[in-house]
């Protein structure tokens, strides 16, 4: 898969290793999950914002130029910050439903097997979790981990990874 995911003739013209048509990759995942979900596209950040029931929001980015990345940010009520099972469940949900190329299954496995540890805690309002696994069979996949933060009156769950 190295250097081949999403390649087309336009990537050679722009000097990008990967296809930069983030809109199509992101849109396809949203539609595959639920074709009735409405979303807006931000062309400058290459992200889709998906309003969800109950006032929650998902921001999703899939694609890239130098790296092909999968990133999801889920925003919910502030009371969810102390519910670790909920936070881990949502991180797993994002990966399972919106990621691909093995990030979907590997992140689910990592969370279920607790193959992560807190790598940084900036304060009581933000925690970063690093993926810890002995699986080195996919050397071009980088699992950036996930984080949980309480910011601007919301709980924010972020998870991401990219292919070199």
């Amino acid at each position: 898969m190295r250097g081949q995911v999403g390649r087309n003739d336009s990537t050679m013209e722009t000097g990008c290793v990967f296809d930069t048509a983030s809109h199509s990759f992101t849109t396809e995942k949203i539609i595959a999950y639920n074709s009735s979900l409405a979303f807006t596209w931000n062309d400058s950040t290459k992200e889709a914002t998906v309003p969800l029931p109950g006032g929650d929001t998902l921001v999703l980015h899939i694609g890239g130029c130098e790296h092909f990345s999968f990133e999801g940010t889920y925003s919910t009520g502030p009371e969810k910050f102390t519910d670790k099972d909920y936070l881990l469940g949502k991180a797993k949900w994002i990966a399972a439903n919106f990621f691909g190329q093995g990030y979907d299954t590997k992140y689910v496995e990592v969370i279920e097997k607790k193959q992560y540890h807190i790598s940084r805690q900036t304060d009581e309002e933000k925690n970063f979790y690093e993926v810890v696994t002995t699986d080195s069979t996919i050397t071009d996949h980088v699992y950036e981990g996930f984080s949980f933060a309480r910011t601007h009156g919301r709980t924010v769950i972020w998870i991401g990874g990219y292919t070199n």
Side-chain angles (χ1 to χ4, degrees):
M1 282 203 298
R2 289 182 200 175
Q4 299 300 312
V5 179
R7 281 188 82 138
N8 63 28
D9 292 336
S10 69
T11 61
M12 297 304 199
E13 295 169 14
T14 64
C16 288
V17 176
F18 298 106
D19 188 343
T20 58
S22 300
H23 182 270
S24 64
F25 296 116
T26 306
T27 300
E28 288 168 10
K29 281 293 189 177
I30 294 168
I31 291 170
Y33 176 73
N34 182 341
S35 62
S36 67
L37 283 177
F39 63 91
T40 58
W41 180 255
N42 182 325
D43 201 43
S44 64
T45 61
K46 306 295 186 209
E47 296 174 329
T49 301
V50 184
L52 298 169
D56 293 351
T57 304
L58 173 66
V59 177
L60 191 63
H61 166 84
I62 302 170
C65 182
E66 297 298 318
H67 303 288
F68 192 92
S69 63
F70 293 89
E71 293 184 33
T73 305
Y74 190 92
S75 176
T76 190
E79 73 282 356
K80 298 295 188 183
F81 186 74
T82 57
D83 187 345
K84 190 169 180 179
D85 289 337
Y86 177 86
L87 299 173
L88 291 169
K90 281 300 178 188
K92 194 166 62 170
W93 173 81
I94 294 167
N97 291 291
F98 300 100
F99 289 5
Q101 298 178 11
Y103 293 95
D104 46 354
T105 56
K106 185 64 175 181
Y107 263 121
V108 169
E109 177 185 320
V110 161
I111 292 170
E112 287 177 350
K113 292 183 176 181
K114 299 181 183 346
Q115 295 176 321
Y116 57 85
H117 70 269
I118 195 162
S119 63
R120 314 190 288 276
Q121 185 172 6
T122 56
D123 55 38
E124 292 182 9
E125 303 295 306
K126 189 163 191 174
N127 300 311
F128 296 92
Y129 293 84
E130 181 179 350
V131 171
V132 179
T133 180
T134 57
D135 182 11
S136 60
T137 58
I138 306 174
T139 58
D140 62 348
H141 280 52
V142 177
Y143 296 88
E144 291 184 286
F146 46 93
S147 66
F148 308 132
R150 188 167 22 203
T151 182
H152 305 294
R154 305 284 290 166
T155 297
V156 178
I157 302 157
W158 177 88
I159 186 168
Y162 62 91
T163 302
N164 283 323

